[in-house]
Structures are given as C-alpha cells and as structure tokens.
Amino acid sequence: MPKLSEEDTKLRYITPAIVDKAGWQHDQMRMEAFAPGQIEVHGTKTKRGKAKKADYLLVHKETGKNLAVVEAKAYDETIGTGLQQAIKYATILDAPFAYSTNGHGFIERDFLTGIEREIPLDQFPTEAQLWERFTTGKGYDAEALKVVEQPYYFNPFDAREPRYYQRVAIDRTLEAIARGDKRLLLVMATGTGKTYTAFQIVWRLLQARKVRRVLYLADRNILVDQPMNKDFRPLSNVVTKVENKNLDPAYEVYFSLYQQHGGDPGEELFRQFKPEFFDLIIIDECHRGSAKEQSQWRRILDYFNSAIHLGLTATPKETKDISNFTYFGEPIYTYSLKQGIDDGFLAPYKVIRVGLNVDSMGWRPERGKLDKDGFEVEDREYNTTDYDRNLVIDERTTEVAKYITSWLKKYGPESKTIVFCIDQEHAERTRMALVNENPEMVKKDHRYVMRITSDDKEGKAELDNFQRADEPNPTIVTTSKLLTTGVDVPTLKLIVLDSIINSMTEFKQIIGRGTRLDEANGKEFFTIMDFRGSTRLFADPDFDGDPVVVMDIPEPEIDDDGDLIWPDDEEEPDHGGADGGNGIDGDEWPPDMPPDWTPDRKVRVNGVDVHLQGERVQFVDPRTGKLMSESVTKYSRDNMLSTYATLDAFLHDWNDADKKAAILNELADNGVFLDAIREEMGEAAEGMDDFDLILHVAYDKPPKTKAQRIKNVVDSHYLAKFSDDCVVVLEGLLDKYGELGVTEMENTQVLSNPPFNQMGGPVKIVQMFGGRDAYFEAVQGLQSELYADA
C-alpha cells in the first residue's frame, strides 16, 4: 500500500469514522483556525504568524459548546502521536474530550475523569454520547440543563459569532451559575470584547428564564452608553438607562452608573426596588469598586445580596494596598493581554524609551536662578518626579512636543495619538506646545491637537470624533486621567507616557487603549513612547500575572454629565525630605512670598538646556512574548546563526533547494526579518538581494549587488547555449531578479506578466525550452550562475 499523507488519512479513514459512523454533521466539525496567528512587527513591516488550528473541533449542535478536539496523523504513524497536541488545544478551547488518531483507531483523553483509553475506528462517540457524558460528569440536573443548553444569540445578517475565548468565558459563566455559584469574576484583556461576552451571557440567561431582571453597573457614562447602543442592541426593547433618579420597573435590563444610586444610608435610589428585584448584577471595570462596607459599590451589592454578582475587569492584581477581603473570589476564566497578542486578536506594540538630559541626569538651578515670577528657585536637584508636578521647565515641554512631532512626521501625521500627562495643567501646556510644533496641520483643522480632560467641555465634546476611524480630527489628544480607561479608539497608533505611573492597574488600563486591532484602517500594531520610565512595569511579573482583587480605594466624584472626576494625583510620589522637597514645612506659610502664593504653586523656569540624550527601541519577540531591546538586525543575525551555524551549512541548503523561497520562508518563521533589516540599514542595503543580505549580516561577507550578479551571469556565457528565443526569456527573468529578487524567477506565474505574455504565455515559453523539466533546469542553472562565486 502506498504511503498515505495526513490529509489522505483524514479523507479516507478519519472523516468517514466521525461523520458516517458516529453521525457527526459537517457543520459541527470546525476545521478552520480558531485563532488567526500573532501579528509580528519587524521595523514598520508586519506579518501574521502561524494560525492555531485543530484538525477537527467538534461542537454541540444546539449550543455551540466545544466538546472534542481530534488531532490526526499520517496512516503509518503511531495512534497516540497527536494526543499531546490534542490535549493542548482541548485545554485552550475548554473541550472536555481530546483524541489522537492515525486512521487505525483513536486514543481518548477524558478531562472529566482523567482517564485515557483506546477506541476502535468504527466506535467513535456520537454527539449524544459525548453530551450525555459531559452533563453527567458535571452533575447537572434538569434545571441546570435549561441554562447550559440555551443557544447563543446569532444574527444571520451580520454573522457575528463569539470567538473561542469568548465562548469559553460564556460557557464557564453559565456552568457556574447552573451549579448555583453567586459570586463570579471574568478577567479579559482590554479589546477582547467583555461587553459582547456579557451580552451573550445575559441573552442566554434571559432565554432560559434563569434570570428575569439584570442590572449592569459601570462608573462612567461611556461604559454604559457603548454597551447599550452596540452589543446589547438586540435587547433594546427591554433595556433602559437609569437617569434622573427615576426607576421604571417595566424593563428587564437596566444600565446605570453606580454613583447615581448615592444618597444618605437608607435613602439611596436603589431602595426604590425590593432586594429581590434583580437576579443578576454585572459590574464592569469592577477593580475600581471599593470593597469598603460603606461604599456605594458595596451598598448596592449588599442590598441585592440574593442576586448573582458578575464582575468584569481587564486588570491584574495590584501589588500595593490590596484589600484582604476578596469579594468575587478566584476568576472563573482569564484571557490575558499576552494570550490575545499571541493568538492574533490584539495588536502588539513597540516601545520607545526616550532619554532627555534633564531626565537622566537631573537638573540643579545655578546660583540665583529665578523662576518666571521672579522668585529664586530652591537650590536642590530636581528629577522626573518633580517635573510638571512642582517644577515646570518650559524647554522640556517643548522638547517632548518636538520628539512626538518628529515621530508623527516620519510615520504618519494622521496617526491617532494620546499623550498622558501629570495633571490637567500639564496637559494644557503640552497641547499648546504640540500646536506650535504642528502649525500647518492646525491651520487645516484647529482640532488637530486638543486637550480632553474632565474639566474641558470643548475637548470632551470631541471625544466621539477622536474615537471614530472615519474622522481624522482630533488627531493628537492630551489628557491626564480621563482617557485611561473606557475609551475605545481602534485606530490609536501612538501612546505617549509623560507621567510617572506606579500603579499596575493604571498602567495596564493605559496600554489597553492601544491593543485593539483595526486592520481595515491600517492599525496592526501600536507604539508606546515613554519619557518617564513607566514602561519598566512591562518587566513586572504582575503585568500579565494574577487577576485583580477588590481594593479599598477612594471613590471618585461624579460631574454634571454623569462622568467621574478622579483625583489628578492618585499616588503622590516621595520627593525626598521631610518637606516633600518643595521647601514647605507642613502648613507654615512660606516667608517672602506674595499674598496670592499657594503651597501647591508650580515653580516655572526657562532658559534651561534640554536636549535628546538617547533613545532605545524595543519590540515584542514573537516567540517569547518578551520585550527585546536589541536591534532587529542583531536579533535576526542571532536567529540566522541558530538556524545555520556556519556559512557552509547555509550555502549547502541554498544551493540544494529547488526553490529559494522555501529557505527564505523557513528563516522568516525562525525570526529572520529581512524586510526589517533593510529598513534598519537604509541605503546600505540598497541593491542587495536576500541572499547577499544574509551573507553580509550573518557571516560578515562583503555584499554584492544584484547588478553585479547579473553582470557575472552575462560574462559567464551561460546564455550562449540557448536559442535566441530562450535567451530573451532568460534575460527577462534576470530583469525580474534585478527588480524583485530571486523568488520572482522561481514563480511560473511571472510568465503570465509583461514582457513574457507578449511571447505567448507560460505554455508556449515552456515549449521553447523543450518542455517543463527543461525549462526548470534552465532556471536552476541561471540561479547557479548568479551565486557561483558565493
């Protein structure tokens, strides 16, 4: 019997065993990728990594629940070869059964019992058998089955379906509720669709009549309005927003800011309803709710104590001031930023650490230095913890604006940008500095640079335009705290950190502003520009570590528009000294100061030499997920040498390869990024083909240009052995090589393009050489001549 490939084995033996024998329908067998593959960033170039794809993913027809993963191997491999891969994917997909097969039979891993067994080929379990084993193993009674068997919401007009991790989050939530659990936590990275997940949970629970009324709590209007108008739109007939302290009991789903339920104890707004009115309460961004018993957040939950409480957050746990009281307990599911980037659902990032001389070295005023108000500046060393908090250096503000502008001019002045500042005053000064660095763009549209802060009504009015992909302005936005969370800007390409961030929660929320993908509008990755060293938190294990616990934090106030007003300074850094480094001892009124001088006055100076001292670009290693600080060229060189340790090894495979493209693709998969090297080398790489670029970067060989290699072929008289017509074809291939590289010569489709299509096209050209084999022999000979002196 001839050797059967994996695909042949699937076609002849495995698919018939699953479909014909076990009765699974084709629409229950998902054989497409469940994750598209990580976007890898090389310079400004991007490429998709390998998609994640199970050979067979078998789902329950009624609910869409993942039941089994089947990994197939070729007919002559052992039956259990694919089991580890099947177990890995089944774990990711939350499927209770995993199988490996070679077409002779199946090896089964049952996650419910932990038992493995071998099954004959014609005895693969049916859908009904696996569903019965799953529900029995979980211990579901008839009431629980009504919940877990409820199907997802599906609209055939937009064909949107939950992604695999959303299905896992939804299924685990429903399964926990079916078990009777009342306190639940989902941790899902920003940009992964928490509110869509919440909608599907609510939809299925309402349809199953497990819950009758739902309260969706958030702490900002944008976190209430967006879900109502988008993800929860299918429930619009039964959805209402709590406003004007009027609670109408005629609806099923209520959206509300929890601050609106405030009032004196015993007189809060929520007491208009009976304690048993709500069956489910969803708390969005639950890490910002205080666990203190007297807080508004807790009073609402304590009042509706019999309801199911589901917390949603994207934030890892804090490392400081964590409450000992964990309200929700361990999360039932966590989908992290790292997982989202690795799967290819979230945008990866580059980091630019910018060093200004006054930041790295500090600044000390010369003797007698006066500030802009004419007062002598205290003689001490100032650093980044002082700048823009109690000391303003005008030249530093200008230098930051210049650097941001230079990046935008290089990579796109239309790139949506958020600049995070110390406070609202700093945001205003930075806005003005950016306006002055971009006068031509501002002349075209005065909204090109805007400040959006809690006290700026004009700026807040433009927030919707800033979020829209089809509205170019505002382009650059300065802010302090307002945009750290709850703001969805899918096309955001640049996040600037000109504020010291010590809170892991705040840092994770800020980074989350950029993680959404929008490939249709050219957003495949984003850049983080750091002036204050805040990106040091990427190295903290808690950045992508354990999930949030509820913290005892101060509660913000609510403004007239229903938005939160957070304190500008959540964590006041220690500036050193008993007086905090500002020369003020307690409440003592400083001597020799004017009557309008206040202790929180910022000292402002100018005439300071501020300049760029250095910069470091980091990127995410697609293989480890870690930030790499070295250049793309050095990174690729190391990966090249780990693939081909010697020049001889590389030349052997290069010369042996029927198609050079196969070698280049393998190198790309191993982290050799030739396009990014070209971008980094600039003019120095001009004229080199991929072969010479590799030899030069990895093995320190003097580079040759494509023009030199073409000349060597002509001088070798290789073409003299062919007919005039064939010479014209080969010379045309050399021209294509000179224009696009060696891989273009190997692609027979090139013969359908000019100038070859004027010679009669592929069939006629191949006949000129005496047939297909003779044509490819001639092309390979041409390649050998090109690289004869390597």
Side-chain angles (χ1 to χ4, degrees), residues 541-562:
D542 283 328
F543 173 70
D544 208 39
D546 296 333
V548 72
V549 299
V550 175
M551 299 177 58
D552 289 337
I553 58 176
E555 292 194 344
E557 299 177 2
I558 186 167
D559 66 14
D560 294 337
D561 297 322

Side-chain angles (χ1 to χ4, degrees), residues 759-787:
M759 304 176 194
V763 175
K764 185 174 180 181
I765 288 172
V766 166
Q767 289 174 347
M768 291 180 191
F769 287 84
R772 181 181 178 86
D773 291 344
Y775 169 77
F776 281 115
E777 184 180 338
V779 173
Q780 288 172 356
L782 194 62
Q783 290 177 338
S784 297
E785 291 298 324
L786 278 171
Y787 302 113

